[in-house]
Amino acid sequence: PAAPTQYGRVMLKISGEALMGDQGFGLHPPTVSRIADEVESVAKMGVQVSMVIGGGNIFRGLQGSAQGMERTTADYMGMLATVMNALAMQSALEAKGLHCRVISAIRMDEVCEPYIRRRAIRHLEKGRIVIFAAGTGNPYFTTDTAATLRANEMNCEAIFKGTKVDGVYDKDPKKFPDAKRYGDVTYDEVLQKHLGVMDASAIALARDNRLPIIVFSLDEPGGFRTILEGNGTYTRVHS
Ligand code: UDP
């Protein structure tokens, strides 16, 4: 039986690096499958799940441009990397018998669906997991901004940002044992104190639409479900 949750529709944002496991690069299928387990347990509660996955495990536009590549071209390569990650996650979800659609901000009809808002909402209503790929489709943006944009468009109740730590700290908790976790923090505090939640444009977009951001650890098995049930430790960013 599904446990009660206040959420009907959510956005899960994970970085590309979350899919590489202990490797320094690329995709680690057992890790992808483990994250798919997290998504499955939430989908089984009846929550509609949309996802955005970064591309940093394969390519980052800024790195390419630092090595002399033209910036917008490098950013398009980064967006293509997110499509590969989305396809890997789709495959892992389907292996568990879940229904999933990859929707790309850059058309590639042989590979996945194009972004059509009403169609994406329909998929969610039918209980399909929707993975938004290729970021916003524009260079100079990040997948954090893409997650915030799509979460707004899909009328998600919150963005869940799965990371390696269970919230936002005043300093790196892996380096400083006295680091303090914020339970609640405002968008403005995140911007003023440069807390590493998401980049500034993503935070501003969330703030202007009062979309809460919940930062939690994806390293704990069952963590995503626990947070949706209102338990566990996390940081909630709100107005
Ligand atoms: N990117 C972009 N526009 C977007 C989203 C992503 O140009 O709307 C590019 C950008 O080059 C970025 C790369 O895709 O470096 C991978 O995305 P991101 O760095 O957000 O991935 P993450 O750090 O979450 O793995």
Side-chain angles (χ1 to χ4, degrees):
T5 172
Q6 65 175 113
Y7 296 103
R9 183 179 295 163
V10 300
M11 165 64 68
L12 173 65
K13 165 70 198 344
I14 59 174
S15 69
E17 281 166 356
L19 305 186
M20 73 186 181
D22 292 332
Q23 305 168 158
F25 176 84
L27 284 152
H28 182 239
T31 302
V32 179
S33 173
R34 198 190 63 71
I35 293 176
D37 286 338
E38 296 292 311
V39 175
E40 178 184 28
S41 67
V42 164
K44 291 229 162 110
M45 292 164 82
V47 178
Q48 297 176 14
V49 186
S50 50
M51 292 180 79
V52 166
I53 308 172
N57 56 321
I58 299 171
F59 196 84
R60 278 216 174 83
L62 269 179
Q63 277 166 9
S65 78
Q67 292 166 348
M69 212 175 264
E70 200 262 321
R71 170 70 192 265
T72 54
T73 302
D75 276 341
Y76 280 116
M77 290 174 67
M79 289 182 247
L80 294 179
T82 72
V83 179
M84 287 202 246
N85 286 336
L87 293 175
M89 182 57 69
Q90 178 181 47
S91 162
L93 290 166
E94 286 179 347
K96 297 178 197 303
L98 296 164
H99 296 279
C100 173
R101 295 288 189 277
V102 173
I103 295 192
S104 173
I106 296 172
R107 282 194 88 111
M108 41 183 108
D109 296 350
E110 287 75 11
V111 176
C112 52
E113 291 186 11
Y115 178 66
I116 298 169
R117 177 173 172 270
R118 283 163 193 278
R119 193 152 145 191
I121 288 179
R122 190 78 191 115
H123 288 317
L124 290 169
E125 286 170 351
K126 288 196 170 173
R128 297 172 186 143
I129 293 152
V130 173
I131 308 177
F132 294 103
T136 63
N138 299 295
Y140 296 99
F141 285 93
T142 64
T143 52
D144 282 347
T145 304
T148 312
L149 172 68
R150 296 300 188 219
N152 283 326
E153 291 183 277
M154 294 299 113
N155 306 317
C156 292
E157 287 132 9
I159 301 187
F160 291 80
K161 171 139 180 169
T163 70
K164 287 180 185 313
V165 288
D166 62 347
V168 182
Y169 284 79
D170 58 352
K171 49 192 165 185
D172 185 351
K174 301 223 162 168
K175 282 186 206 146
F176 302 94
D178 64 332
K180 253 187 52 229
R181 184 173 49 79
Y182 292 94
D184 281 278
V185 65
T186 65
Y187 301 109
D188 289 332
E189 259 183 291
V190 168
L191 291 173
Q192 278 153 20
K193 296 183 180 162
H194 300 283
L195 303 176
V197 179
M198 287 184 172
D199 61 88
S201 46
I203 299 288
L205 189 58
R207 179 188 61 191
D208 294 350
N209 297 283
R210 296 175 176 277
L211 180 71
I213 304 166
I214 290 133
V215 183
F216 72 104
S217 168
L218 249 188
D219 282 357
E220 309 296 323
F224 189 24
R225 181 180 177 133
T226 304
I227 299 297
L228 281 185
E229 288 168 351
N231 301 315
T233 51
Y234 54 87
T235 296
R236 189 164 175 278
V237 187
H238 54 91
S239 29

